[in-house]
Amino acid sequence: MKKLVVAVKCQNTKNKRQALIPLREDTAALLGEHFKNKLTHVKAFNIPKLARVADMLKEDCEAAGIETQDTGAGKVVFHSLRHSTAQMLKESGVHPHDAQAILRHADIRTTMEIYTDHKVEHERNAINRLPDFGDFQEKQRATGTCEVAGSEMAEKVVPRSLPFGGAKTDKNGHFVDNMPINSIGSKKP
């Protein structure tokens, strides 16, 4: 359990390549405890036939009050666990390429377009992670970089296009498409 991975033999994977599946530390500890007294030639788990595994999932869903029949959102099947894992990775902020590797998808589009749902709240959360420029002028005053509006320093430091960039400058680096401003978005009359 030191490596915290499960090795899946190539004959048991879809792409016929060995897969190393990373484990959470707590899961690895539980498995270590489970294997502690097992003989090496004995099966690690007594797993029923595939058809029975699907029945077990259905029974577990029903016991948890999860509808297993198709209600328009799709039917709960064993493969649904992969979709749930992908969505939880996304909602946990896992980088898409890491999710792709965990799910062993050859193409990132499979991970992003088929296995995860896009929600407006994800966009809102992304926007909320952007830096707050509301106290920009206060920070300038604290550091002594905020001059009287209209001065050469103010024109250099606070371009009209902040925070998105793209302001034009002359050969000396002065902003040429600005009106003098005294705070972000406030032009001097």
Side-chain angles (χ1 to χ4, degrees):
M1 290 288 112
K2 290 178 184 167
K3 292 186 180 181
L4 304 179
V5 296
V6 171
V8 181
K9 294 179 180 178
C10 58
Q11 62 263 31
N12 296 323
T13 65
K14 186 176 180 180
N15 63 8
K16 301 300 179 203
R17 289 187 277 189
Q18 180 184 19
L20 297 176
I21 311 298
L23 298 173
R24 289 175 43 106
E25 287 183 29
D26 56 345
T27 303
L30 289 170
L31 288 172
E33 188 64 29
H34 176 76
F35 293 134
K36 185 169 56 176
N37 297 318
K38 294 265 185 187
L39 299 173
T40 55
H41 65 282
V42 176
K43 282 186 172 183
F45 302 100
N46 185 15
I47 298 175
K49 293 184 180 183
L50 187 57
R52 181 65 187 126
V53 172
D55 290 337
M56 289 169 56
L57 175 65
K58 183 177 178 181
E59 291 167 11
D60 289 343
C61 285
E62 288 171 356
I66 299 170
E67 181 63 50
T68 58
Q69 299 304 313
D70 192 346
T71 59
K75 188 176 179 180
V76 174
V77 294
F78 192 75
H79 193 74
S80 302
L81 297 173
R82 285 181 58 78
H83 288 267
S84 295
T85 299
Q87 191 65 31
M88 286 188 285
L89 290 168
K90 178 180 180 181
E91 291 179 8
S92 296
V94 172
H95 192 280
H97 287 286
D98 293 332
Q100 175 191 4
I102 290 167
L103 296 165
R104 297 183 322 280
H105 290 152
D107 190 329
I108 189 70
R109 291 176 294 187
T110 303
T111 307
M112 300 305 296
E113 296 171 11
I114 297 172
Y115 277 78
T116 59
D117 294 324
H118 180 74
K119 298 175 183 170
V120 172
E121 65 193 53
H122 298 148
E123 292 177 17
R124 186 177 310 108
N125 290 338
I127 293 297
N128 286 337
R129 281 187 240 144
L130 291 172
D132 178 8
F133 290 101
D135 62 349
F136 184 75
Q137 189 174 18
E138 190 62 39
K139 287 180 181 176
Q140 283 185 314
R141 280 193 190 103
T143 61
T145 58
C146 184
E147 299 289 329
V148 177
S151 72
E152 185 178 332
M153 177 59 94
E155 292 178 37
K156 286 182 187 178
V157 173
V158 189
R160 176 176 45 172
S161 58
L162 239 166
F164 300 105
K168 296 176 185 168
T169 59
D170 64 15
K171 64 182 179 180
N172 297 318
H174 297 112
F175 293 100
V176 294
D177 63 343
N178 293 350
M179 290 177 55
I181 57 176
N182 54 16
S183 68
I184 295 177
S186 294
K187 296 175 191 148
K188 183 180 176 187

